[in-house]
Amino acid sequence: MLRLGGGEAKSNKPSFVSYVTPEEIKCEKEPAKKQRHPDLLPGEVIFCDADPILKQTQDDLSQRGIFGTLLCSNFRVSFVSDEMPLEETAQHFKNKLYGENDIPLMCVDHIYGVFDEKKKLMTGGMLKNKCPSKMIIHCKDLRVFQFCLTFAKEEDARKIFQGIAHHCLEPKSLKCVFAFSYAVSRSPELQRSQRTVMFESKEDWVQEMKRVKGNLRVVTENENFELSKRLPKFFIIPAAVTDEDISKFPGKGLPIWCWSHHSGCALFKASSLPPSQEEGLLQPYMDRMLHAVAHTHLYSLKTEDLSETLPTIQDIQQSYTKFKQFFLIDNSTDFWLSDVKWFSSLENTGWLDIIRQCLHKAVEVVECLEKENTNVLILEEEGTDLCCVISSLVQIMLDPHYRTLLGFQSLVQKEWVSGCHAFLDRCNPLYQKDKECQCPSPVFLLFLECVWQLLQQQSPAFQFSETFLTVLSDSLHVPVFSTFLFNSACQREITLQAESQGSQTTPFNCPAVWDWSVQFDSKAQELFINPLYADKFKQDKVLRKVPRPKHQRQMSLPSSAFKTPPRKGFFKDETESLKKMLRVKRISRWMSSPEGPGVTTREFYEAWQRRPVDFHGLLLPCLDGPAVRLWMQRYLRWIPEVQILGGGSVAVTNKLAELLVQVQELRRELDLKDCWETETERPQLRPGPLALARTSLRLSSSFPFASSRNWTFKPTIPTSLLQSLMVTDKLASQEDEATEAISLV
C-alpha cells in the first residue's frame, strides 16, 4: 500500500514499503508490534535500539518516510523497516555483511542533530543530555540517512542518539574494532585458498624480482622487525648497499626497490633521514645510497622529491573535504541549488587538479624509465604516502600484469600493505583526536581515483571494472578486514599474534579484503570483471606488423632533475655531489631543456599516441582539460535526481557487451565452417563472464548499486527554483534574439 502525502491509498500497484507523513501517523492507532532485528554477524552484539523511528526520504522537504526500528551494534547502525516485503526483489549485488539500510560504524563520517529546525554538527563534547528532533548521518561512502526521533519515547530517542554518536564518534582503542570480535567468532569454513600474492614471505619477493628480471638484494634482517618497525619483514635494495649501511639509520634513507624495467633500470623509493647533530654522517651516507642506486643500471639516476612537487597530505585532506560536500545531499532543493554552478564548484575544490598532478608526475617517472632508461628514486618524509601513489601508478602504466585483477591486488599488497602505508592514521577509524595521531587524509582513495581515470580512458587494457574499484573504496571502511586496519606490517603481525594467543577456544580468523566471498557471492563477483578487457592474443605479432622503435637510451637528463629545492629537504645537497660524481666518471651528461620538463613529457605522450595500439604495452593518460573526469559511479550512485533509467555508462558497457556476445557467436559459426586457414588467423575472443549482457532488465545508471531501490518519485526541480531558472532562460533568449537582430542589420 503506497501512501502519498495524505492522498488516497493506491491499491492497484503493490509496493515494498509504506510511505506516510508525520501528520498521518497521529490519526492512526499505534499497533502492538514485535521488534525486528537484522541477521547478526558472528561476534555482533546489539547495544541499543528504539522505535518507532521515521527514516525520511530525500525528496525535498515533504517529510515522507518509512517507520521502523533503529539500532546500534558493535558493527553497524541499522534501520529495520516495520513493513514486510510483499515480494522478493532481484538483488544483483547484495553485500553479505551489511545491507542498504546498514552503516558500518567505521563508515560514519559526520553526525548532525536538528534542534529547533537548525542543523548542528555533533562532536563528543556536545552529546551530554541532548536529543535532537532529527539525526542526519553522512557516510564515508557518500550515503545520507535522516532519522526523525520525535515518534519514539523521549528516553529511547535519547539513548539511541547518544549510543550511535558515542560508538561512532568517540575515540576508541584498536581492539574495540569489530574485526577482532568477528575474527574470533568467524567459522574457519569461510576461508578459501588465497591466490593474491601477499608479499609476506621472502619467496614472494624473490618470485616478483624474477618476474621482472631484477638483479638486486633481498633483505631478511628485518624478519622480526629488529631493524625497523616501519619497514616490511622482507624488502629489496640495490646490491651495492652494505650491511653496515642497512642498520645505520634504522631503515631511514634506504632506497627500497619497487619495480625493474626490461632495459635494466629500476624504480626506488626512500624516506628522509631523521634530524641529526652529526651532519658529517648524513652526507657520506646519502652519497653511498645514491651511488648504490646509480650502479643498478649504467650509473644513471634521477631523484624526485615528491614533497616539493606534489600537494601535502593536509592539502589532499582539505581538498577532498570540500569536494565530497557536493555529493552529500540532504534533500532535493539542496541538490538543485548546487546544480547551478556545479562544475565550476567541483573544479574550485582542487580535487580533480590533485588527481591530474599525480598522474602527470607518474608520466614523468615513466618517461625516465621507458625513454631514457634511467634509474629513478622518489622520496618524501616517510616514503609511505605519495611514494605509494606514484610508484603504484608507474607500475600500472608500464606493467600489464598489474592491470589484471589478481595483479592489481598484489600491487596493493606490495606497495601499500607491505609497504607500510599508515591506513590506521590516514583513515582514522578510531577517531583519535590527540596530537600523536597523524593527519587523516584519503591518500589511498586518491590512488584509486587515478586508476579510475586510466580505466575510463583505456578500458580494454584493464581486466577489472570500475565496480571493483568502487567496492574496494567502500571496503576501506568496513571493520572486518585486516588489510586496511594497521599502520605497518609490524603492528599488524604483533596485534594479530597477540589476539591469536588470547583466543584459546577458537582460532583467530581475520580475513583479507581480497577474500571477496566474505562480501559477495560468485555471481556478484562477476561484475568485478571488465567485459571489454582485451586478452593478450597469440596473433599479436601477426596483426601488428608496424615495427616499434627500439629503446635508445639518451645519455642525458633534464637539468630540472638536479634543481635545488626551495626549502630544506632530504635531497637538497646530495644532488650537487651526484653531479660532481657523474662528471668525474663521464658516464652521463646533463642536458638543459629551455622549454622545461612539461614540454618533453608532452612530446613523450604524443609519440606514444602515434604507436600502434597495444593494450598490453605502455599505457599513458590524457591529462588535457575535460579528459580528467568525475568518477560518477562512486559519487552519484546514491542521488536519485541524477539516475538515468536505461542510460549512463552502464548502458554503453551493456551494449558493447551484447555486441561482443554476437561477435563470439559469429566466431563459433566460423569455427564450425573451419574458415580459418591458420591458427594465428583465428580471433581468440574472450568468453569470460558478461554479467551485464545476461540481464534483460532496464538498468539504472547507478547499477549495480542501489539497484534494489524503488524510486517512488520522478526527480523534479522545486517550483521556486524552476521559476528562477525560467526567468534566467528567458533573459538569455532575449539576449540571443537581440544579438541575432544586430547581426542581420
Side-chain angles (χ1 to χ4, degrees), residues 184-404:
V184 173
S185 306
R186 179 174 180 253
S187 171
E189 298 177 357
L190 294 177
Q191 284 186 318
R192 66 173 185 175
S193 59
Q194 181 63 255
R195 295 178 295 169
T196 300
V197 181
M198 303 299 285
F199 291 95
E200 294 176 345
S201 66
K202 177 183 176 182
E203 289 71 24
D204 290 344
W205 289 97
V206 172
Q207 290 299 319
E208 176 66 10
M209 188 166 55
K210 287 181 178 179
R211 187 186 69 83
V212 296
K213 298 179 174 59
N215 185 21
L216 300 104
R217 171 188 176 186
V218 179
V219 177
T220 60
E221 284 82 350
N222 202 42
E223 186 172 3
N224 298 319
F225 302 103
E226 295 176 354
L227 176 64
S228 173
K229 295 182 179 180
R230 291 295 299 163
L231 286 176
K233 295 176 65 174
F234 308 97
F235 55 94
I236 298 175
I237 59 175
V241 178
T242 64
D243 292 338
E244 182 182 357
D245 285 333
I246 292 177
S247 57
K248 193 71 145 181
F249 295 101
K252 292 287 187 178
L254 275 178
I256 308 296
W257 174 80
C258 300
W259 185 78
S260 290
H261 191 263
H262 59 77
S263 65
C265 59
L267 173 64
F268 298 86
K269 61 183 177 182
S271 60
S272 61
L273 288 171
S276 174
Q277 295 179 353
E278 302 178 9
E279 294 293 338
L281 297 177
L282 296 181
Q283 189 59 46
Y285 176 80
M286 288 317 308
D287 288 342
R288 291 195 299 272
M289 294 302 100
L290 293 171
H291 179 85
V293 174
H295 257 297
T296 303
H297 178 68
L298 296 180
Y299 211 83
S300 58
L301 172 64
K302 176 182 178 181
T303 61
E304 185 69 26
D305 191 345
L306 301 181
S307 62
E308 301 292 340
T309 56
L310 291 178
T312 65
I313 299 301
Q314 292 79 9
D315 292 338
I316 294 172
Q317 170 68 10
Q318 292 174 5
S319 177
Y320 181 70
T321 299
K322 298 175 183 177
F323 181 77
K324 69 182 179 181
Q325 297 305 318
F326 292 96
F327 312 100
L328 295 167
I329 306 299
D330 289 347
N331 53 66
S332 300
T333 302
D334 290 347
F335 172 79
W336 290 113
L337 288 173
S338 66
D339 184 62
V340 178
K341 297 181 179 180
W342 198 64
F343 287 106
S344 60
S345 300
L346 291 182
E347 189 67 27
N348 291 336
T349 64
W351 178 249
L352 296 177
D353 188 58
I354 291 176
I355 296 172
R356 185 181 291 106
Q357 291 180 57
C358 290
L359 287 169
H360 186 270
K361 182 58 60 179
V363 172
E364 289 182 352
V365 175
V366 168
E367 182 182 8
C368 291
L369 294 167
E370 176 75 10
K371 179 183 176 182
E372 302 174 3
N373 300 154
T374 304
N375 297 302
V376 177
L377 176 64
I378 56 176
L379 49 119
E380 62 176 333
E381 183 177 355
E382 292 294 331
T384 57
D385 287 308
L386 293 174
C387 276
C388 294
V389 174
I390 302 304
S391 65
S392 300
L393 291 176
V394 169
Q395 293 173 71
I396 290 173
M397 293 179 190
L398 285 168
D399 195 337
H401 170 67
Y402 292 128
R403 301 198 285 266
T404 65

Side-chain angles (χ1 to χ4, degrees), residues 22-35:
E23 289 75 13
E24 286 182 299
I25 194 65
K26 297 178 182 179
C27 303
E28 300 179 1
K29 294 182 179 179
E30 185 177 343
K33 57 181 180 297
K34 184 179 179 180
Q35 283 189 343

Side-chain angles (χ1 to χ4, degrees), residues 439-486:
C439 173
S441 184
V443 180
F444 186 69
L445 176 61
L446 173 62
F447 164 64
L448 296 181
E449 285 264 17
C450 293
V451 176
W452 182 86
Q453 299 294 334
L454 290 167
L455 173 61
Q456 63 94 12
Q457 291 185 21
Q458 303 288 342
S459 181
F462 291 85
Q463 186 188 36
F464 53 86
S465 65
E466 71 166 337
T467 298
F468 169 78
L469 294 177
T470 304
V471 170
L472 186 57
S473 71
D474 292 343
S475 302
L476 197 64
H477 310 295
V478 179
V480 166
F481 310 105
S482 62
T483 308
F484 305 128
L485 205 54
F486 303 97

Side-chain angles (χ1 to χ4, degrees), residues 20-23 54 56-57 59-65 134 148:
V20 295
T21 62
E23 289 75 13
L54 180 65
Q56 295 183 336
T57 61
D59 55 337
D60 209 352
L61 303 176
S62 60
Q63 293 188 325
R64 294 187 178 94
K134 181 194 291 187
C148 181

Side-chain angles (χ1 to χ4, degrees), residues 385-444:
D385 287 308
L386 293 174
C387 276
C388 294
V389 174
I390 302 304
S391 65
S392 300
L393 291 176
V394 169
Q395 293 173 71
I396 290 173
M397 293 179 190
L398 285 168
D399 195 337
H401 170 67
Y402 292 128
R403 301 198 285 266
T404 65
L405 181 64
L406 292 179
F408 181 81
Q409 294 179 169
S410 299
L411 176 66
V412 174
Q413 278 292 139
K414 177 166 70 83
E415 295 296 325
W416 295 83
V417 182
S418 295
C420 299
H421 175 67
F423 283 106
L424 190 63
D425 286 341
R426 296 296 177 250
C427 301
N428 196 24
L430 307 182
Y431 294 93
Q432 298 293 336
K433 300 175 182 177
D434 53 12
K435 296 181 180 180
E436 296 179 358
C437 180
Q438 295 187 28
C439 173
S441 184
V443 180
F444 186 69

